[in-house]
């Protein structure tokens, strides 16, 4: 049996895939959630199993409180600290994001250091790299870049300050003087993953910010596509990057951009439309001019959050992850199409092609051959 790994915020989009991959790879997995009683958020986790039928152990912990973290990290060799608020609307008070992101990261790291955890992999973001640089059009960002928190929106600020806090915490730990063979006496290591915009199949109908986009496209919740674009990455590839950063010895002390090529929303919509529109969906592929977005933003807080990013390209190099971790992103079409099918399977979009019935039949066939 491989060692135990703690995944924080296990109910989330990215964390769920980390849990799945860890179980598939034979690790024992513990996950933190804010409420064990919230079946809508944790139910899907209880269904996940490894090859021997072992499932995840769930414990309660909130980034805003000390309670539960010591118990959560106990007997873990690794921690994937994925939890952080990722809202689709900017809150009126930025501390709603910054306090749990920063103080929560310190809490998790302190508990991990006390418990003799070997390595923490922190889920940071391109938000901690590519924002607040003024006019950076055409510039390709690398791990050497840092967002300027004083010139960022609250979410980008929360991710930048949280990652900074994590590196400062590690630097503040005393150097290990003891026997290097004794794992418990080694200094805690940190590796950081900086994903681009994460898309791909969803495990739970309680969607996060990424789910909102696909749902709007498949449900025609927007008439056309504003000129927004991101360096997109598949959630399964982000999970794989976390495991590679966890086990690759040289990853300690490093941050890794995990993001593919920049893609405009209109091109993402066209990939989705190519698969689903022949089945009766009406994924919008037209161009929404800025003035129309500005008008919509007066009534729609999510749209309001996007205004300052119109026309901006997010260019990032994942060369370091490729070179040092052997990490490769998959093509965006696979990501979009699989995400679309998962949205239909979970009821986040109408089923115009009998997909849920097909899935139910193949599940039944799988069970009867097992
Ligand atoms: P989700 O919203 O699906 O997941 C966020 C998780 O954080 C949830 O499990 C949530 O718990 C948990 N969380 C939020 N606030 C607290 C808190 N106060 N205490 C404990 N847990 C908390 O988003 P993603 O899966 O997309 O995001 C996961 C990570 O990836 C975040 O760190 C995010 O910043 C980062 N990221 C995401 C990107 C994306 O495009 N999705 C891009 C780059 C980075 P609960 O279920 O109880 O709400």
């Amino acid at each position: 049996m491989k060692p135990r790994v703690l995944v924080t915020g296990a109910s989330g989009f990215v964390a769920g895939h980390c849990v799945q991959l860890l179980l598939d790879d034979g690790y024992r997995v513990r996950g933190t959630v804010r409420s064990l009683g919230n079946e809508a958020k944790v139910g899907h986790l209880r269904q996940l199993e490894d090859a021997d039928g072992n499932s995840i152990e769930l414990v309660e912990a909130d980034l805003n409180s000390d309670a539960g973290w010591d118990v959560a990290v106990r007997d873990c060799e690794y921690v994937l600290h994925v939890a952080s608020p990722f809202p689709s609307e900017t809150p009126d008070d930025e501390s709603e994001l910054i306090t749990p992101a920063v103080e929560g990261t310190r809490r998790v790291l302190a508990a991990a250091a006390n418990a003799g955890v070997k390595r923490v992999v922190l889920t940071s973001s391109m938000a901690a790299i590519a924002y607040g640089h003024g006019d950076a059009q055409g510039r390709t960002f690398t791990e050497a870049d840092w967002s300027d928190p004083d010139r960022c929106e609250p979410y980008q600020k929360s991710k930048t300050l949280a990652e900074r806090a994590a590196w400062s915490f590690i630097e503040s730990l005393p150097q290990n003087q003891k026997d290097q063979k004794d794992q418990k006496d080694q200094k805690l290591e940190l590796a950081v993953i900086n994903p681009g915009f994460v898309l791909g199949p969803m495990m739970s109908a309680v969607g996060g910010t990424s789910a909102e986009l696909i749902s709007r496209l498949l449900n025609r919740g927007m008439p056309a596509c504003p000129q927004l674009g991101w360096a997109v990455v598949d959630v399964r590839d982000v999970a794989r990057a976390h495991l590679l950063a966890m086990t690759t010895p040289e990853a300690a002390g490093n941050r890794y951009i995990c993001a593919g090529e920049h893609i405009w929303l209109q091109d993402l919509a066209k990939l989705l439309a190519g698969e689903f529109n022949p089945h009766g969906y009406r994924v919008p592929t037209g161009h929404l001019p800025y003035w129309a977005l500005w008008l919509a933003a007066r009534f729609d807080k999510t749209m309001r959050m996007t205004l300052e990013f119109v026309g901006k390209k997010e260019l990032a190099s994942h060369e370091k992850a490729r070179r040092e971790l052997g990490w490769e992103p998959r093509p965006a079409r696979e990501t979009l199409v699989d995400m679309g099918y998962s949205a239909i399977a979970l009821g986040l979009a109408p089923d115009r092609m009998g997909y849920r019935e097909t899935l139910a039949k193949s599940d039944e066939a799988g069970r009867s051959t097992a």
Side-chain angles (χ1 to χ4, degrees), residues 8-16 32-35 38 41 61-65 69 81-87 96 100-101 122-127 155 158-159 193-199 206-211 233 235 238 242:
T8 69
S11 53
F13 175 47
V14 171
T32 68
V33 292
R34 279 196 272 190
S35 167
N38 190 338
K41 281 194 172 180
D62 191 307
L63 295 172
N64 285 316
S65 159
W69 291 109
H81 178 37
V82 189
S84 203
F86 185 39
E96 281 177 36
L122 169 73
T123 317
S124 184
S125 173
M126 279 298 295
Y155 172 70
S158 76
K159 296 303 289 181
I193 297 296
N194 300 80
F197 189 32
V198 186
L199 299 174
V206 183
T209 299
S210 299
V233 62
V235 66
V238 174
H242 280 74

Side-chain angles (χ1 to χ4, degrees), residues 223 288 290-301 303-304:
L288 187 76
Y290 182 83
W291 64 262
L293 179 69
W294 181 85
L295 213 58
R298 297 183 65 187
F299 310 100
D300 184 324
K301 278 188 168 181
M303 297 264 188
R304 203 173 307 156

Side-chain angles (χ1 to χ4, degrees), residues 226-292:
Q227 200 194 4
L228 293 168
W230 307 272
V232 166
V233 62
D234 191 291
V235 66
R236 294 162 290 190
D237 295 336
V238 174
R240 175 57 71 196
H242 280 74
L243 267 70
L244 288 168
M246 182 177 99
T247 51
T248 305
E250 299 75 25
N254 281 289
R255 58 200 311 236
Y256 293 98
I257 290 176
C258 292
E261 282 173 33
H262 173 274
I263 308 184
W264 292 114
L265 176 57
Q266 206 175 357
D267 294 324
L268 289 176
K270 283 177 187 164
L271 291 174
L272 210 57
E275 178 74 16
F276 294 102
N277 284 8
H279 299 286
Y281 292 85
R282 291 171 57 237
V283 176
T285 56
H287 170 65
L288 187 76
Y290 182 83
W291 64 262

Side-chain angles (χ1 to χ4, degrees), residues 40-41 52 123 127 136 161 171 173 192 257 268 360 362:
K41 281 194 172 180
D52 299 323
T123 317
L161 295 177
E171 275 160 30
L173 288 176
V192 172
I257 290 176
L268 289 176
S362 74

Side-chain angles (χ1 to χ4, degrees), residues 14-305:
V14 171
H17 283 271
C18 293
V19 171
Q20 169 86 76
L21 206 54
L22 287 163
L23 288 171
D24 289 350
D25 282 5
Y27 289 93
R28 283 178 287 175
V29 187
R30 185 179 292 151
T32 68
V33 292
R34 279 196 272 190
S35 167
L36 287 170
N38 190 338
E39 204 50 29
K41 281 194 172 180
V42 304
H44 68 285
L45 291 171
R46 300 191 208 276
Q47 319 276 325
L48 303 176
E49 286 183 348
D50 68 11
D52 299 323
N54 299 307
S55 55
I56 186 173
E57 176 197 350
L58 291 172
V59 296
E60 280 184 0
D62 191 307
L63 295 172
N64 285 316
S65 159
D66 288 334
W69 291 109
D70 288 344
V71 174
V73 296
R74 192 175 297 155
D75 299 327
C76 290
E77 189 152 327
Y78 303 106
V79 172
L80 307 187
H81 178 37
V82 189
S84 203
F86 185 39
S88 56
E89 295 172 4
T90 302
D92 294 332
D93 179 358
E94 65 175 20
S95 66
E96 281 177 36
L97 303 186
I98 294 169
T99 306
V102 176
E103 297 307 323
T105 296
R106 286 201 191 107
R107 281 192 175 95
V108 171
L109 285 166
N114 282 338
V117 167
K118 182 175 162 51
R119 184 178 296 183
V120 171
V121 179
L122 169 73
T123 317
S124 184
S125 173
M126 279 298 295
I129 288 182
Y131 291 78
H133 293 277
D135 186 11
Q137 277 294 58
R139 171 167 165 198
T140 299
F141 289 96
T142 71
E143 290 82 359
D145 295 303
W146 279 92
S147 297
D148 178 351
D150 295 331
R151 300 171 68 191
C152 281
E153 290 292 306
Y155 172 70
Q156 285 82 13
K157 191 169 175 179
S158 76
K159 296 303 289 181
T160 309
L161 295 177
E163 192 190 330
R164 288 270 192 214
W167 288 119
S168 303
F169 180 90
I170 292 293
E171 275 160 30
S172 73
L173 288 176
Q175 287 297 326
N176 168 46
Q177 302 293 322
K178 299 197 182 162
D179 181 3
Q180 292 293 319
K181 281 186 203 135
D182 183 349
Q183 297 281 321
K184 292 253 177 226
D185 289 333
Q186 282 191 26
K187 184 177 161 175
L188 176 67
E189 296 173 341
L190 177 68
V192 172
I193 297 296
N194 300 80
F197 189 32
V198 186
L199 299 174
M202 297 167 287
M203 290 182 169
S204 150
V206 183
T209 299
S210 299
E212 186 165 340
L213 177 77
I214 204 86
S215 186
R216 279 190 187 230
L217 289 172
L218 281 173
N219 292 304
R220 217 178 163 83
M222 53 171 102
C225 301
Q227 200 194 4
L228 293 168
W230 307 272
V232 166
V233 62
D234 191 291
V235 66
R236 294 162 290 190
D237 295 336
V238 174
R240 175 57 71 196
H242 280 74
L243 267 70
L244 288 168
M246 182 177 99
T247 51
T248 305
E250 299 75 25
N254 281 289
R255 58 200 311 236
Y256 293 98
I257 290 176
C258 292
E261 282 173 33
H262 173 274
I263 308 184
W264 292 114
L265 176 57
Q266 206 175 357
D267 294 324
L268 289 176
K270 283 177 187 164
L271 291 174
L272 210 57
E275 178 74 16
F276 294 102
N277 284 8
H279 299 286
Y281 292 85
R282 291 171 57 237
V283 176
T285 56
H287 170 65
L288 187 76
Y290 182 83
W291 64 262
L293 179 69
W294 181 85
L295 213 58
R298 297 183 65 187
F299 310 100
D300 184 324
K301 278 188 168 181
T302 306
M303 297 264 188
R304 203 173 307 156
M305 208 165 120

